[in-house]
Amino acid sequence: MKQIIIIVILIILPCVVFAQNNMFNNNTKNHFSNKDFYGSADISMDYKFNSIRPYEESKPDTITTLGLNLRYDYFDFSGYIDIHDIFYIYNDKPYVFGEINNYLFGEINPRISLLALAGQKLSGRNIFKDFLIAYNFTFDSDDLLQHYMGFGIDFNIPILSYLKINLYARYNQAYYGRNENSFDGFLLNIIYEVPVYTFSSGIEIVYSSWFKYIFAPSTSGNIENETDYSIQWKNTFKVGYKGFYLAYSYKHNTNYLELNTRSAQEGEHSIGIYYSYRF
């Protein structure tokens, strides 16, 4: 697992540096002006009032997130890594990279545009923006390695900055000892953002959300309180200026990790500081 985390950071950091160099070296012309090339490098720090643990009492947590989003021609990419308790506040042991005492979680989401591969582009008046082949790799520093394979649709909705819907089949390489090395259900993933209001001073209010619905998983038979679905729905309100934001988030959980325990139903509240560098 340590090697996987290192590979993820080695992928994300050079892309962030490249994006910054591209922005600072030429503020008026995009080197890829003949292609679709844009994105953002993101960093955030959240204080979570109650981080749920399905078989334990929820506890507060601090989470530092490094993220990258980009689009270049037919290639669409998003990814992030969460580093929990980076200040060692809630852990007796000091942080050692790759060890479980500071939990790491991440996702890598490459997608390939079918329209771009075919040399086609839909009209801006069309409700559909793009059709894509989608893949997701989800991992943590404990015992989670999951592969999601499917397709995605991006939409043109006037009141939304973006709306992306992905449907995946899930393959568990490792899942805490449950249904491993096998296909195990499906994931419906919906991501969207609403620019609520922008003041004349440039201060903006933004609402963003993601929704995950896992359904039709197999039951291993050796895990207590297993269920056949789970729902996570995170809603974030941000107020900011020129890429800097103050944020409040609430995440609804139903059967977190497909487990029907009291803790797995708790909602999670957090406040944070965000910075998004757009290129």
Side-chain angles (χ1 to χ4, degrees):
M1 178 53 64
K2 180 177 180 180
Q3 289 84 352
I4 292 175
I5 304 300
I6 292 174
I7 290 171
V8 171
I9 289 185
L10 290 177
I11 291 173
I12 290 179
L13 289 183
C15 293
V16 173
V17 172
F18 171 79
Q20 291 177 328
N21 288 338
N22 183 56
M23 184 72 171
F24 285 121
N25 291 338
N26 192 335
N27 292 322
T28 59
K29 183 179 179 180
N30 191 331
H31 292 296
F32 298 89
S33 58
N34 62 325
K35 303 286 186 180
D36 289 326
F37 179 76
Y38 53 88
S40 66
D42 309 300
I43 183 169
S44 64
M45 189 170 296
D46 286 281
Y47 174 81
K48 186 177 286 188
F49 294 93
N50 57 324
S51 182
I52 68 170
R53 307 175 183 203
Y55 290 110
E56 303 176 24
E57 292 293 327
S58 61
K59 295 181 179 180
D61 196 3
T62 54
I63 303 173
T64 302
T65 302
L66 302 174
L68 177 68
N69 302 279
L70 63 85
R71 175 68 183 255
Y72 173 51
D73 197 11
Y74 58 83
F75 181 65
D76 180 274
F77 176 87
S78 64
Y80 70 90
I81 182 168
D82 288 339
I83 307 172
H84 290 240
D85 193 13
I86 196 170
F87 297 116
Y88 331 139
I89 299 173
Y90 305 107
N91 205 312
D92 294 334
K93 299 179 181 179
Y95 176 68
V96 179
F97 185 79
E99 296 295 329
I100 298 174
N101 58 316
N102 281 91
Y103 180 66
L104 304 174
F105 179 88
E107 294 188 42
I108 299 174
N109 307 278
R111 303 189 303 165
I112 302 296
S113 169
L114 296 175
L115 290 179
L117 286 176
Q120 303 295 317
K121 189 173 183 179
L122 294 176
S123 166
R125 293 173 299 195
N126 198 311
I127 188 172
F128 298 107
K129 183 178 181 181
D130 207 350
F131 300 94
L132 308 102
I133 299 171
Y135 170 76
N136 172 290
F137 175 54
T138 300
F139 60 92
D140 73 1
S141 57
D142 194 348
D143 190 25
L144 179 66
L145 295 171
Q146 292 179 316
H147 306 269
Y148 296 85
M149 294 148 281
F151 64 91
I153 303 177
D154 290 358
F155 294 85
N156 273 318
I157 307 295
I159 64 171
L160 303 180
S161 299
Y162 54 80
L163 170 61
K164 304 178 181 182
I165 298 179
N166 302 294
L167 180 63
Y168 302 96
R170 180 174 71 175
Y171 181 87
N172 295 332
Q173 181 178 343
Y175 190 32
Y176 313 118
R178 300 163 57 186
N179 306 317
E180 296 186 338
N181 298 311
S182 64
F183 282 95
D184 183 36
F186 302 89
L187 166 64
L188 174 65
N189 184 20
I190 303 173
I191 309 165
Y192 57 95
E193 182 180 271
V194 182
V196 178
Y197 190 78
T198 301
F199 296 91
S200 58
S201 61
I203 296 174
E204 59 179 349
I205 302 173
V206 179
Y207 163 68
S208 60
S209 177
W210 56 257
F211 174 86
K212 293 183 178 181
Y213 173 48
I214 294 176
F215 59 98
S218 303
T219 54
S220 65
N222 60 352
I223 301 295
E224 186 180 0
N225 300 310
E226 280 186 302
T227 66
D228 59 358
Y229 78 98
S230 72
I231 294 174
Q232 296 180 72
W233 184 16
K234 186 173 182 178
N235 300 274
T236 301
F237 288 91
K238 299 185 291 186
V239 178
Y241 179 71
K242 292 188 176 181
F244 289 93
Y245 298 93
L246 297 177
Y248 166 77
S249 297
Y250 173 75
K251 188 174 81 168
H252 167 84
N253 295 294
T254 299
N255 300 337
Y256 179 66
L257 296 181
E258 300 97 69
L259 295 173
N260 184 18
T261 64
R262 183 179 63 82
S263 296
Q265 318 304 324
E266 290 186 19
E268 297 174 282
H269 301 264
S270 62
I271 56 174
I273 301 173
Y274 290 57
Y275 177 65
S276 181
Y277 186 92
R278 300 183 184 276
F279 51 90

